Amino acid sequence: MNRNRFKVGAISAVIGVISTLLVGLTASPASAATPECNWARIVTSTTPSGRYHYLPTYSGSGYTYHCWMAYGTANAGVAALQGAINLCYNSIPDIDVDRIYGNDTLRAVQAVQTQHRIHVDGEYGPDTYAAMRFPLYRTVDNQFSGTCV
C-alpha cells in the first residue's frame, strides 16, 4: 500500500515538473496567433463609401490587418502606422516616416494607446488597430483626404 502511494506521488511530481516546463516554453496565445505586420495595403473603407485606408498588414497566405509590430520592426507597415499617427493625432508630435519602429514610434504608439484608454505597451497589435483612427485614402490621386476615421 505504501509503495503505491509513493508511486502515485512520484508520478504526480514528475507530471507537475513537466507541465511547468512546458508552460514556460510555449508562446502566449496572442503572440502565437498574431503574425508580424510585414507590408502595407490599401483596403476599402466602410465609411464613407468609395474611400480607402492604407493600413499595416501581414502578407503571407492571404492578408490580415490583425497583425503586430514592436520596437525593431522595419518595413512598409511601420511607415503606414507612422503616417497615420502623423495625420490623425495632432496632439502627438510628428515622427519621421522612416519605416523603422524606433523610440519615437514606440512613444507615439504609447500616446495613442493612452488616448484610447487601452493597454499601454507601445506595441501595435489588434487592440491598437481596432482603437486607432486612420486617414482616408483616395485611389483617384493616391493622396490622403485629410479625414480620419
Side-chain angles (χ1 to χ4, degrees), residues 101-136:
Y101 204 118
N103 288 324
D104 291 342
T105 304
L106 179 95
R107 283 191 292 273
V109 170
Q110 288 173 331
V112 168
Q113 292 168 333
T114 299
Q115 205 170 25
H116 289 286
R117 295 186 176 128
I118 60 174
H119 178 70
V120 178
D121 59 7
E123 294 184 5
Y124 174 87
D127 291 342
T128 305
Y129 161 74
M132 267 188 76
R133 294 185 310 269
F134 288 91
L136 292 177

Side-chain angles (χ1 to χ4, degrees), residues 82 86 94-100 104-105:
Q82 291 167 331
N86 286 347
D94 280 354
I95 51 179
D96 288 336
V97 180
D98 60 4
R99 301 170 54 110
I100 299 168
D104 291 342
T105 304

Side-chain angles (χ1 to χ4, degrees), residues 62-73:
Y63 294 98
T64 182
Y65 304 100
H66 295 278
C67 52
W68 67 269
M69 295 180 286
Y71 185 87
T73 304

